[in-house]
Amino acid sequence: MDAPAIERTRMIIDTDGGVDDAVAIWWAATSPDVELLAVTTVHGNVDLGLATDNVCRVLEAAGAPGVPVAAGYATAIGPTPQIRPATFIHGDDGLGNTYRPKATFGVVDEHAVSMLLRIVAEHPGEVVVVPIGPLSNIGAAIQADPTWAAKVKRLVIMGGAALTQGNALPMGEANIAHDPTAADVVALADWATPPLLVGLDVTHLATFTAAEVALVRGHHTAAGEFLDVPLEFYGRFGGTFCAPEEFPCHDALAVMTAVHPAMVTGPILPLGVQVLPGPALGATVVDRRAPFFARADPGATQTVPDGFGPWEIGLHVDVDAFRAQLHRLFGPPA
Ligand code: BDR
Ligand code: CA
């Protein structure tokens, strides 16, 4: 008897074209468990043009030139704070200063927001959307069609934090801080199921160690060959907040978790975004009080102010499962 067909996760990735984005896209494009419907691009790590070129480069190198790529917002949809450009982490070209030739294909003739709206409407309840850059495209999609969020199967974002500090700002993680207004719109949208926050609390634990770096350096796979120099560049500053000699791969963790939900888990709690100027601008604020009140007084509830929506807050991460996926990507083949 034939083995039962395993349903692949239908996915759209929205990305700002950096090094960890490249790992995430390569993994999704080559995973037997993913049907990558499209990749949409947004400003962030580098400008929109570079981000878009990088996505095409990665898809071509990964053997997936047929995945449609659509360019989106070149700027935030709301006011933004001053943030140091991320070129010291991702390189001036977003791929560790490798300056590889452009891919032989480019973007399709459709704006990223229109593509996000269209594909999800064509497959209501079936598409997992994974933003791994600033949330400008996703926020704009919700503003254009407030019913869109309810048609998304699940939203899994790389961004924010519940317990730890920011990276781009004192309390602001880069993807939130680059467009706090968009993040606020996304936080409060009418999602079918609580979105998952894959934030710095978990991405700083799911790291490349010397073992994973050695695999990449061994060039056992095309991914290792292509991503070796970018990851070497990225590792210098990318690991600032991690254990010594380790560095995270934020976006890869979010994309993998969208397919393997047990990889990152946590409680459903109210989440809001600090959009007003001030010391905590760009912070994700998680109301972590409820479980304590419920423990002290079963049935008790606490007032939650306006500006919060229910999210699953990633606090637990299966680091071994994450690294096992990296080993699949970088070999050596079993
Ligand atoms: C996030 O910011 C970007 O620099 C990375 O690509 C990742 O999406 C980490 O804070
Ligand atoms: Ca990113």
Side-chain angles (χ1 to χ4, degrees), residues 185-208:
V185 170
V186 171
L188 302 182
D190 184 18
W191 300 103
T193 177
L196 174 66
L197 189 83
V198 179
L200 300 178
D201 302 304
V202 283
T203 64
H204 283 164
L205 301 174
T207 52
F208 275 64

Side-chain angles (χ1 to χ4, degrees), residues 103-129:
T104 55
F105 67 96
V107 290
V108 298
D109 187 18
E110 183 176 18
H111 192 277
V113 172
S114 145
M115 183 180 270
L116 283 158
L117 292 170
R118 179 180 57 76
I119 293 180
V120 168
E122 284 169 2
H123 307 281
E126 292 180 10
V127 181
V128 176
V129 177

Side-chain angles (χ1 to χ4, degrees), residues 15-16 18 20-21 45 132-133 175 251:
T15 170
D16 58 345
D20 56 334
D21 303 75
N45 291 323
I132 55 176
N175 291 341
D251 295 341

Side-chain angles (χ1 to χ4, degrees), residues 264-310:
V264 173
T265 55
I268 311 280
L269 292 171
L271 175 135
V273 177
Q274 180 62 33
V275 286
L276 297 176
L281 177 60
T284 44
V285 179
V286 176
D287 185 353
R288 294 183 291 118
R289 299 170 302 164
F292 296 97
F293 278 98
R295 205 167 59 196
D297 179 5
T301 52
Q302 230 358 52
T303 310
V304 178
D306 289 343
F308 287 80

Side-chain angles (χ1 to χ4, degrees), residues 111-332:
H111 192 277
V113 172
S114 145
M115 183 180 270
L116 283 158
L117 292 170
R118 179 180 57 76
I119 293 180
V120 168
E122 284 169 2
H123 307 281
E126 292 180 10
V127 181
V128 176
V129 177
V130 192
I132 55 176
L135 292 157
S136 314
N137 290 338
I138 310 300
I142 294 161
Q143 287 179 333
D145 177 4
T147 70
W148 178 77
K151 295 180 219 145
V152 172
K153 181 175 186 188
R154 194 165 197 219
L155 184 83
V156 177
I157 78 161
M158 190 286 127
L163 307 177
T164 191
Q165 80 291 333
N167 52 9
L169 291 174
M171 292 299 289
E173 181 281 326
N175 291 341
I176 306 297
H178 272 108
D179 197 345
T181 303
D184 177 55
V185 170
V186 171
L188 302 182
D190 184 18
W191 300 103
T193 177
L196 174 66
L197 189 83
V198 179
L200 300 178
D201 302 304
V202 283
T203 64
H204 283 164
L205 301 174
T207 52
F208 275 64
T209 67
E212 286 70 41
V213 170
L215 274 186
V216 176
R217 298 270 148 84
H219 292 197
H220 302 290
T221 63
E225 258 177 65
F226 186 94
L227 294 165
D228 182 6
V229 174
L231 281 167
E232 187 188 5
F233 187 99
Y234 174 85
R236 286 181 212 144
F237 279 106
T240 305
F241 302 106
C242 298
E245 310 300 324
E246 298 184 9
F247 60 86
C249 199
H250 311 274
D251 295 341
L253 181 64
V255 167
M256 291 173 187
T257 298
V259 183
H260 302 286
M263 204 178 281
V264 173
T265 55
I268 311 280
L269 292 171
L271 175 135
V273 177
Q274 180 62 33
V275 286
L276 297 176
L281 177 60
T284 44
V285 179
V286 176
D287 185 353
R288 294 183 291 118
R289 299 170 302 164
F292 296 97
F293 278 98
R295 205 167 59 196
D297 179 5
T301 52
Q302 230 358 52
T303 310
V304 178
D306 289 343
F308 287 80
W311 281 59
E312 181 175 353
I313 309 299
L315 293 181
H316 315 292
V317 53
D318 184 341
V319 175
D320 291 339
F322 168 74
R323 292 196 182 127
Q325 291 300 325
L326 291 182
H327 297 173
R328 176 189 77 69
L329 192 57
F330 295 114

